Amino acid sequence: MFAYILRRLALIPLTLLGIITLNFLIVQVAPGGPVERVLAQVRGLDAGATAAFTGGGGDTAGGGSSYRGAQGLDPEFIKEIERQFGFDKPAHERFILMVTNYAKFDLGESFYRSIDVGDLILEKMPVSISLGLWSTLIIYLVSIPLGIAKAVRDGSRFDVSTSYMVVIGYAVPGFMFAILLIVLFAGGSYLNWFPLRGLTSDNWETLSTWSKITDYFWHLALPVTAMVIGGFASLTMLTKNSFLDEINKQYVLTAKAKGLSEKRVLYGHVFRNAMLIIIAGFPSVVVNMLFTGALLIEVIFSLDGLGLLGFQATIDRDYPVIFGTLFVFSLLGLVLNIISDISYHIVDPRIDFEARET
């Protein structure tokens, strides 16, 4: 298993290079860009962000050579903007410089924020980790026992009644639950029990340790609840169907015929096999919860996390932030996939990835 992990780790740089290359090529043919945006601002075509251009250095991709907003502007002024954004170099030079910097974990500087992309990601990380970690933990703690109980009691009144909750959770998106929670509990129309914005209170630094912990979970209560309600349905049904599929197999009938108890059969034989498909989806669940699934939740509850950062960077064509977050997300996803394989082996030692490769 150790040799397999080393081979997988060795493939990470090549995989990251492929991901970055593909997205770099897509950006080259995408319309618009930071230079075009600044030229539009200069001509008064973009009234919403007149102070966006700060002269931040660019060492990543983007842009084009023809700007629709450049009519009537001094060509030297346009060249100066291109130089400050880093677009005075050919695309292949920008790409080589970007890859070289990424190899040193230098993610460049945001075009509009005058801050290092790595520092920007670290600044937003606590919000996304808080939402993703607690939501994923609660979803798994609720969905797996509930799915197992539904499989064991398949067709019973308990199974039917809980299926109504699952259907509602599956059909209604998480942001709708978020709005409902705000209306009910955050001063919308009824109660005012929970705060509406931020991860902590303004006086958090002055609070005691216990008060800081309480304040932290007080702010997380509604957004995490919204994400859990919107996310537990799929995993519950996956768990139920996976266990049902195993329960009906011949080896389970044989184990029961030998006189083993229901609990011994369920947790000694069925659990190990049924959990494999659930473990397989764990990396994608974590990445989705951390970076993409929380986007609307972050917006609704005014939480400034990575999902909102990536969305704003895409709108603003802030290419250092786009490629920096893509690099970090891809790296994390690849590492989580390796952890998933290790979890496979821990749950079922019979799975030997090295033997399959040989």
Side-chain angles (χ1 to χ4, degrees):
M1 190 67 180
F2 182 71
Y4 170 78
I5 294 174
L6 289 180
R7 287 195 294 270
R8 288 291 301 275
L9 289 174
L11 285 174
I12 287 180
L14 184 61
T15 307
L16 285 173
L17 179 62
I19 294 172
I20 294 297
T21 302
L22 178 61
N23 285 273
F24 182 90
L25 294 174
I26 293 174
V27 164
Q28 301 311 302
V29 298
V35 175
E36 199 170 52
R37 184 169 183 262
V38 170
L39 294 177
Q41 292 168 13
V42 172
R43 291 178 56 87
L45 300 179
D46 186 358
T50 55
F53 175 56
T54 58
D59 54 358
T60 59
S65 59
S66 178
Y67 308 110
R68 287 174 295 175
Q71 291 87 350
L73 296 178
D74 186 355
E76 292 299 323
F77 173 72
I78 298 174
K79 289 181 180 179
E80 176 63 17
I81 294 177
E82 289 179 339
R83 185 190 66 79
Q84 295 198 40
F85 277 125
F87 297 148
D88 56 330
K89 302 181 181 67
H92 68 277
E93 291 186 14
R94 298 199 305 272
F95 178 75
I96 293 173
L97 180 61
M98 178 182 69
V99 172
T100 302
N101 289 333
Y102 280 10
K104 299 180 292 186
F105 286 91
D106 179 6
L107 304 182
E109 186 176 289
S110 170
F111 284 159
Y112 306 111
R113 301 173 188 247
S114 295
I115 182 175
D116 185 80
V117 173
D119 294 337
L120 188 60
I121 291 175
L122 290 176
E123 178 186 320
K124 310 299 182 183
M125 190 73 79
V127 172
S128 295
I129 289 180
S130 295
L131 288 176
L133 177 65
W134 295 113
S135 298
T136 303
L137 179 63
I138 296 174
I139 285 173
Y140 270 77
L141 289 177
V142 171
S143 298
I144 292 177
L146 180 59
I148 294 174
K150 286 174 66 63
V152 173
R153 300 173 176 84
D154 184 40
S156 67
R157 183 176 298 177
F158 171 81
D159 180 40
V160 174
S161 60
T162 53
S163 293
Y164 288 114
M165 295 189 301
V166 171
V167 169
I168 294 173
Y170 187 81
V172 182
F175 72 89
M176 291 297 295
F177 284 115
I179 295 173
L180 178 63
L181 290 173
I182 289 175
V183 171
L184 294 178
F185 302 111
S189 299
Y190 298 94
L191 303 174
N192 191 17
W193 289 352
F194 297 96
L196 188 55
R197 61 180 64 248
L199 192 61
T200 56
S201 299
D202 294 335
N203 63 336
W204 192 79
E205 293 293 339
T206 64
L207 299 176
S208 63
T209 301
W210 176 250
S211 297
K212 286 182 178 179
I213 296 173
T214 305
D215 182 76
Y216 170 73
F217 284 106
W218 182 48
H219 282 77
L220 279 178
L222 293 188
V224 168
T225 300
M227 293 182 68
V228 168
I229 294 176
F232 86 100
S234 297
L235 184 60
T236 299
M237 294 310 299
L238 177 64
T239 304
K240 176 189 175 182
N241 294 332
S242 178
F243 272 80
L244 276 179
D245 184 56
E246 293 296 325
I247 287 173
N248 294 324
K249 288 185 176 179
Q250 185 63 44
Y251 76 89
V252 175
L253 299 177
T254 302
K256 290 180 179 179
K258 290 181 178 181
L260 296 180
S261 65
E262 289 283 345
K263 183 177 293 187
R264 178 71 182 275
V265 172
L266 182 63
Y267 294 103
H269 295 76
V270 175
F271 184 84
R272 182 173 60 183
N273 296 326
M275 285 297 293
L276 292 178
I277 190 174
I278 299 170
I279 292 174
F282 182 75
S284 61
V285 171
V286 173
V287 172
N288 179 68
M289 283 291 181
L290 284 177
F291 306 120
T292 58
L295 172 58
L296 291 176
I297 301 298
E298 290 179 9
V299 173
I300 292 172
F301 289 99
S302 300
L303 298 170
D304 194 7
L306 289 174
L308 187 58
L309 173 66
F311 176 75
Q312 291 176 337
T314 303
I315 297 298
D316 294 337
R317 300 295 195 271
D318 194 345
Y319 292 123
V321 177
I322 293 174
F323 281 95
T325 52
L326 174 67
F327 177 80
V328 172
F329 296 170
S330 301
L331 178 60
L332 181 60
L334 292 171
V335 172
L336 285 174
N337 275 316
I338 297 176
I339 295 175
S340 177
D341 289 344
I342 297 174
S343 302
Y344 268 132
H345 184 71
I346 293 174
V347 173
D348 191 348
R350 296 173 299 175
I351 297 178
D352 188 348
F353 293 99
E354 291 187 45
R356 290 175 61 186
E357 291 189 349
T358 57

